[in-house]
Amino acid sequence: MSTNERHNLSRRGFFKAAATATVATAAGGALAACAPAGGSGSSDGGTAANKAQLAFEAAAAPIEPVEPPATWDEEADVIVVGSGGGGITGSVRLVDAGMKVIMLEKNEKTGGTTSYGGMFVNFGGHRLANEVEWAYPSYPYDPNEVVAYVNDLQQMTVDPELLYAMAVEGPQCIDWMADALEVPWAPASKGPAGMKSLYWEGQITAKNSIEIMHFPFEMMTETAKQHGVDIRTGTEALALVVDNGTVVGIRAKTADGEKFFRGTKGVLLTAGGFEMNRAMLSKYAPTCLRGVVNVATPPYNDGACIRMGLGVNADLSGYNSVACFDGSVEWEPYDEFATAMNAHVNKDGNQAVRQPWLLINRMGQRVPYLSTAGTSYPFMNTDPDSMVTALTDQGAVEMSQPGGRTYVCFDSKYEDLVNENYFGQSVCRVGKVIPDDDPLIDRVPEWQRDWRNAFQIMVDAGAVKKCDTLEELEEALGLRTGVLTQAVKDWNAACAAGEDSVPTYKYDPSWLIPIDEPPYYGAKIGGNLFATKCGLRVNKHMQVIDAEGAVIDGLYAGWHTAGGSNGENNIAGKPFNGIYGDVGLSFVGGYMAAGAIIEAR
């Protein structure tokens, strides 16, 4: 790399001044607009509001780097922060290339958000897909076609060089994981197109897809240790260490106090995004925050690594972009200055509200329902390959309604219909009752073995409203008088006529089931956030780029700490979580970053 391509970072004083100015400007402007008429100190209420506002701003502020210590506590070739999918693939690939790696994980177990994940959604190009001659958008697999297809969906807002590198290295990562990590890949469904979603063979059954990644991640962690990765759980990264413009290590908190870890060849940040950090969502994904009602993967991903990158003047990419599923219920009321997002892992209880019931917005308009059933009914989703994409598209539909909320309504007939999967939905819209003889039953908490238990938890908590009359339900949902009652009246008339009354996205006639048997159920629903897509800008080598377009020496980032994989202003994740869905993106990011570090040594 030539000298003029490198960026010589300023010393600590510059960072401190810049960070302070950023926070002061943001907080000051906001406080000027929000301060009570009598001034910020005019009352206890005003002081409390100011403190809340300042705390909110601080939760999104850059984390300043620190200077090197006089003596380093520990040293390795590469310090990896985060033990999820990217941390595992990156660390193992590095040690297999002969490097010493210390992987830091702030929790007491490895996996992070990846351990909540499921399928490795992909576009083909790997051995299993080639054996059955499958690729998307067409076979044989062509990275150029993938780039053109994905970037078109994302309105050409993704760096094409970076996207091409992902398209090339992603299939390599899948095959490498099968070889180096001994991952027994299997298609998630029958037929060639089943290769789009890969999982660990033996980790799901027909009725049980809960915690798909839990035991595989335990296996991969043990494999990483056997390869020589030095894994430090209970070790929280606090700040980047910078020397003469180069990132050279990490200051971390351990059970024995603070330690400095030196990375002679670099630092790889791969500790996820900022799903749990509401202040960062407000700043970097405000439209998404408006429509998100729940986080599916607590307590991880507080955005600390991204804030560390901002502290060394890193640029961001992927503004206003997240990945969400549909049909998450609003558990708690809106709190303007809450710094942590609402987070409830209640996956199977949500299935009751994710069916094609009556869906309206606060104006009373019917909201489209995008099916995963592959129905041929006019205006419905008919492409079987876009089955999982319908989930994120439906999330975008719900999130983009007035006020960022959709309202669902159904009656007491729901239980039998969900139990029978009457509407023919697939993937994670199926309400599961896991039989006692399921070979994987031990990994499922007892309450979660029957979707009805999880649904009842939502009713008891008031997240799902249960009322004897539609008028009561309308009031409980906070809708204007007459909005819900008129919508139900129109719905029931269409049911009686046997034909949907809306002009587009019509329901199959068999789905038109009248709402006429109390008690009545309803909920505010929106996006179920599982990944943020705004993060540190990286080039095709996963090197972090600063705000002037130069490489920050010594600093690498994997997805989802890195941003831009889903483009800009992508509020739910079209196509499904980008070019690689769910856990796959994390695995690919660590694999790519490790390859670049190996190449640069």
Side-chain angles (χ1 to χ4, degrees), residues 168-244:
V168 169
E169 296 193 54
Q172 296 172 5
C173 175
I174 292 173
D175 291 337
W176 175 84
M177 289 179 70
D179 297 334
L181 293 175
E182 301 178 2
V183 174
W185 293 120
S189 58
K190 295 180 180 179
M195 294 298 172
K196 182 176 182 120
S197 298
L198 301 177
Y199 77 104
W200 274 249
E201 188 170 18
Q203 284 305 306
I204 63 173
T205 65
K207 291 287 187 178
N208 189 351
S209 59
I210 294 174
E211 291 192 0
I212 299 172
M213 285 294 299
H214 177 69
F215 292 106
F217 224 98
E218 288 187 347
M219 176 269 290
M220 285 193 297
T221 299
E222 289 306 310
T223 301
K225 291 178 181 177
Q226 292 168 11
H227 281 244
V229 179
D230 186 351
I231 301 175
R232 307 293 182 89
T233 56
T235 303
E236 181 181 2
L238 299 176
L240 295 172
V241 183
V242 174
D243 185 22
N244 243 357

Side-chain angles (χ1 to χ4, degrees), residues 418-431:
V418 175
N419 259 346
E420 298 166 6
N421 192 20
Y422 174 81
F423 301 106
Q425 297 305 293
S426 57
V427 197
C428 53
R429 283 187 184 165
V430 180

Side-chain angles (χ1 to χ4, degrees), residues 13 22 24 78 80-81 87 97 125 168 174 209 230 232 275 321 336 350 398 433 446 497 532:
T22 300
V78 182
V80 176
V81 180
V168 169
I174 292 173
S209 59
D230 186 351
R232 307 293 182 89
E275 294 89 81
S321 295
E336 182 179 8
N350 280 4
E398 293 166 357
V433 178
E446 189 169 348
T532 50

Side-chain angles (χ1 to χ4, degrees), residues 547-563:
E548 297 170 1
V551 168
I552 298 175
D553 286 341
L555 187 60
Y556 299 79
W559 318 111
H560 298 75
T561 302

Side-chain angles (χ1 to χ4, degrees), residues 495-508:
C495 295
E499 182 178 354
D500 204 349
S501 57
V502 295
T504 59
Y505 295 98
K506 294 176 178 287
Y507 277 15
D508 186 298

Side-chain angles (χ1 to χ4, degrees), residues 4 31 106 148 177 218 318 342 374 392 421-422 427 453 563 592 600:
N4 62 1
L31 290 172
K106 69 179 180 180
M177 289 179 70
E218 288 187 347
N342 298 329
T392 54
N421 192 20
Y422 174 81
V427 197
N453 296 332
M592 292 174 65

